């Protein structure tokens, strides 16, 4: 906006620049997530108006999808390229980086059951020699919440009605992720 004086009158002038229309959407560098899954997470489609807030939200959603696959360090950027007047080509570039796997699963406070027995109940597993093929050892926070419920049910079934399992402590260390579950058996 600009304010000027003309002939003793104050003149207020606004310049309006329309946001461009997205002509095409491209993705580069995605291998751990299919093109369809990535596009569904981004929720940015051709023939819509370029909205930076919607793009940032979509990138956040896509990063969550990558986290489910073990790519905790995935980085997604975007760039626009003008084509014709008022239209752009939107390109998302994904740098997945290496998968970050669970290196240790520890239990604290368990006396009634050995750690190996508790670990066998969980769907979350630490990395092993088959992880490359079976996708085990991947950190999934939703699965970890379900695992707490499984452990609680196991203790209930064995008569420990006062059991309390704290939220798992997830630490990122140089070699990978370390998960600690604190149990108060009661």
């Amino acid at each position: 906006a600009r304010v000027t004086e003309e002939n003793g009158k104050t003149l207020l002038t606004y310049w309006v620049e329309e946001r461009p229309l997205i002509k095409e959407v491209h993705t580069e560098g995605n291998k751990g997530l299919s093109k369809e899954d990535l596009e569904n997470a981004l929720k940015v489609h051709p023939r819509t108006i370029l909205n930076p807030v919607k793009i940032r939200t979509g990138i956040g959603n896509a990063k969550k999808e990558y986290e489910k696959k073990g790519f905790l360090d995935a980085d997604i950027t975007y760039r626009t390229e003008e084509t014709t007047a008022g239209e752009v080509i939107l390109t998302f570039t994904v740098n997945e980086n290496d998968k970050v796997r669970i290196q240790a699963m520890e239990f604290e406070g368990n006396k009634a059951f050995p750690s190996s027995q508790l670990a066998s109940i969980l769907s979350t597993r630490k990395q092993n020699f088959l992880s490359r093929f079976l996708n085990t050892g991947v950190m999934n926070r939703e699965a970890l919440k379900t695992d707490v419920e499984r452990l609680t049910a196991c203790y209930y079934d064995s008569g420990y009605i006062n059991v309390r399992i704290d939220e798992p402590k997830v630490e990122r260390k140089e070699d990978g992720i370390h998960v600690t579950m604190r149990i108060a058996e009661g």
Side-chain angles (χ1 to χ4, degrees):
R2 183 174 71 178
V3 177
T4 57
E5 291 285 331
E6 284 186 21
N7 300 329
K9 295 181 182 178
T10 303
L11 185 63
L12 178 61
T13 307
Y14 287 99
W15 279 276
V16 178
E17 186 175 328
E18 294 178 351
R19 289 184 178 164
L21 186 69
I22 300 171
K23 183 177 181 179
E24 299 173 23
V25 178
H26 299 282
T27 57
E28 299 173 345
N30 55 308
K31 295 180 187 86
L33 207 59
S34 71
K35 183 178 180 181
E36 292 79 26
D37 289 343
L38 180 59
E39 288 174 352
N40 287 338
L42 290 169
K43 295 180 183 167
V44 178
H45 306 287
R47 311 305 311 158
T48 59
I49 302 297
L50 181 70
N51 183 343
V53 174
K54 189 174 179 183
I55 290 173
R56 284 192 296 273
T57 301
I59 288 174
N61 293 338
K63 283 184 177 184
K64 287 177 185 172
E65 291 299 314
Y66 270 108
E67 284 179 11
K68 289 178 185 176
K69 301 276 188 177
F71 295 97
L72 302 182
D73 297 329
D75 185 41
I76 304 171
T77 58
Y78 73 95
R79 68 179 185 276
T80 58
E81 178 185 332
E82 288 188 34
T83 56
T84 59
E87 291 188 335
V88 294
I89 295 175
L90 180 62
T91 305
F92 290 95
T93 304
V94 179
N95 184 3
E96 293 176 344
N97 295 309
D98 293 331
K99 282 188 176 184
V100 180
R101 296 195 184 267
I102 298 171
Q103 297 300 319
M105 289 281 300
E106 298 173 9
F107 299 91
E108 293 178 355
N110 57 310
K111 295 179 181 83
F113 302 103
S115 295
S116 59
Q117 184 178 350
L118 295 178
S120 69
I121 296 169
L122 307 180
S123 65
T124 303
R125 305 259 186 237
K126 68 180 192 173
Q127 180 179 2
N128 59 34
F129 66 94
L130 293 175
S131 292
R132 170 176 260 149
F133 308 107
L134 300 177
N135 208 28
T136 56
V138 173
M139 179 66 203
N140 182 334
R141 293 195 185 275
E142 293 301 316
L144 205 53
K145 286 179 185 176
T146 304
D147 286 341
V148 169
E149 293 169 6
R150 284 182 181 168
L151 283 178
T152 304
C154 174
Y155 271 95
Y156 283 169
D157 290 346
S158 298
Y160 292 88
I161 59 170
N162 294 325
V163 68
R164 191 183 81 244
I165 301 173
D166 293 340
E167 177 134 358
K169 181 181 174 187
V170 179
E171 293 180 287
R172 179 117 185 237
K173 297 186 178 178
E174 274 188 32
D175 62 339
I177 297 173
H178 292 248
V179 179
T180 305
M181 295 187 139
R182 291 192 177 100
I183 302 168
E185 292 179 337

